[in-house]
């Protein structure tokens, strides 16, 4: 378990992190979300013991990482936004070097390198110099060094940076395969990807955690939004919609000879049935009723905006 207690970080008079506390359980995959400058990278560097907090403590189980920095680093893998790569080395040599730096037992180094090459889909470039690789491949080499020591904790800062859609899918699959095996913390600006990977998100703004919730809970709202596709004249439909008192009309638009109606409905199946009943009674032909779930991008904007107006 990772325990963060009252972490504050100042650079001179600038306070970057402000009294942050949270716990992350073993095997959890957690995403840090926030705008540029929110403090995500600084927090990650403190969690890896590369930066010392101005005040507060971080524990891996009972291990205080500020007092046991080397032991903490042996238990984690870290991929910074700009991976520290040696461009003159081959991929395989670099991973062997990384394994030695992380005190992987000599008898296990070859197997560890082979596993990292396979997991990160690097076998086809293992003997090439890192400097000649594409940005996407370099990112995967960085990920391979992060897992070379088979860490309990994996901290990934923008792991999708520079990857094409196929590579993003491969990295997503790799991270998802770690679920329940390792604790994973990651940040990314590709919000659609974080939604597919993590179980829990922390929204960070101006150095504070403003919301900490599960992905499932984030999607829940007091009201549900439904898009109803019908065969009807829009003017006639507008009059019919006045009889639907259990919902709030959000939008009506005509697409060819059909209309799409967006409605905000209190969380009750009865309300959805009422909408269908009113439309049917007025002889409006219903083609489709689907629930529109808010995307993580929408929730991100909503959470940040709520904080601005608090």
């Amino acid at each position: 378990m990772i325990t963060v207690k009252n972490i504050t970080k100042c650079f001179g008079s600038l306070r970057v992190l402000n009294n942050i506390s949270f716990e992350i359980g073993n095997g959890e995959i957690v995403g840090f979300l926030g705008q540029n400058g929110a403090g995500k990278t600084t927090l990650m560097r403190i969690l890896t013991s590369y930066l010392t907090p101005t005040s507060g403590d971080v524990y891996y189980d009972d291990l205080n990482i500020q007092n046991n920095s080397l032991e903490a680093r042996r238990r984690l893998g870290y991929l910074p936004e700009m991976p520290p790569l040696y461009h003159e080395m081959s991929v395989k040599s670099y991973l062997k070097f990384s394994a030695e730096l992380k005190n992987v037992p000599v008898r296990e180094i070859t197997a560890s390198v082979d596993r990292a090459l396979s997991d990160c889909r690097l076998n086809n470039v293992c003997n090439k110099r890192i400097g000649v690789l594409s940005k996407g491949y370099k990112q995967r080499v960085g990920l391979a060094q992060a897992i070379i020591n088979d860490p309990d904790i994996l901290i990934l800062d923008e792991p999708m940076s520079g990857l094409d859609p196929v590579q993003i899918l491969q990295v997503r699959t790799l991270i998802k395969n770690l679920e329940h095996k390792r604790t994973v913390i990651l940040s990314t600006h590709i919000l659609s990807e974080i939604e597919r990977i993590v179980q829990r998100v922390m929204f960070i703004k101006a150095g504070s955690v403003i919301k900490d919730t599960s992905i499932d809970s984030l999607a829940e709202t007091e009201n549900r939004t439904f898009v109803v596709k019908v065969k009807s004249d829009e003017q006639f439909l507008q009059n019919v919609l006045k009889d639907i008192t259990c919902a709030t009309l959000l939008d009506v638009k005509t697409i060819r000879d059909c209309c799409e109606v967006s409605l905000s409905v209190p969380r009750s199946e009865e309300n959805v049935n009422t909408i269908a009943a009113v439309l049917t009674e007025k002889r409006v032909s219903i083609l489709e009723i689907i629930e529109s779930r808010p995307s993580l991008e929408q929730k991100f904007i909503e959470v940040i905006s709520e904080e601005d107006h608090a």
Side-chain angles (χ1 to χ4, degrees), residues 199-212:
Q199 307 153 338
R200 172 181 164 195
V201 288
M202 293 186 195
F203 291 86
I204 300 173
K205 182 176 181 181
S208 298
V209 176
I210 60 173
K211 192 176 186 68
D212 180 355

Side-chain angles (χ1 to χ4, degrees), residues 167-199:
Q167 293 167 337
I168 287 174
L169 176 60
Q170 292 170 345
V171 173
R172 183 207 308 162
T173 302
L174 172 60
I175 296 171
K176 284 297 289 180
N177 287 342
L178 301 175
E179 193 171 357
H180 308 307
K181 299 176 184 177
R182 294 187 179 93
T183 302
V184 181
I185 301 172
L186 67 103
S187 71
T188 178
H189 286 102
I190 307 175
L191 299 187
S192 58
E193 286 305 317
I194 214 170
E195 195 169 14
R196 293 183 175 98
I197 294 171
V198 306
Q199 307 153 338

Side-chain angles (χ1 to χ4, degrees), residues 216-227 245-250 262-269 271-272 275 290-295 298-299 302 306:
D216 291 339
S217 296
L218 191 65
E220 292 180 1
T221 57
E222 291 184 6
N223 292 343
R224 302 160 70 187
T225 299
F226 284 88
V227 176
T245 57
C246 65
T248 301
L249 177 63
L250 301 176
S262 296
L263 297 167
S264 178
V265 185
R267 299 189 69 83
S268 168
E269 292 298 332
N271 291 326
V272 181
I275 292 169
I290 59 172
E291 183 173 3
S292 176
R293 294 172 65 87
S295 68
Q298 291 171 312
K299 295 302 296 186
E302 181 182 312
E306 283 176 357

Side-chain angles (χ1 to χ4, degrees), residues 91-111:
V91 173
K92 198 166 189 176
S93 296
Y94 171 73
L95 293 180
K96 181 176 181 294
F97 174 64
S98 298
E100 292 168 350
L101 283 180
K102 295 185 178 186
N103 290 326
V104 175
V106 174
R107 64 183 180 279
E108 297 176 12
I109 287 179
T110 299

Side-chain angles (χ1 to χ4, degrees), residues 8-18 54 206:
T8 293
K9 180 63 179 177
C10 299
F11 293 101
S13 61
L14 178 64
R15 179 172 289 199
V16 179
L17 298 177
N18 183 30
T54 302

Side-chain angles (χ1 to χ4, degrees), residues 11 19 79 82 86 97 117 133 158 178 185 221 275 285:
F11 293 101
N19 199 38
L79 175 65
M82 299 294 291
Y86 295 95
F97 174 64
L117 288 170
L133 299 179
E158 297 291 338
L178 301 175
I185 301 172
T221 57
I275 292 169
S285 177

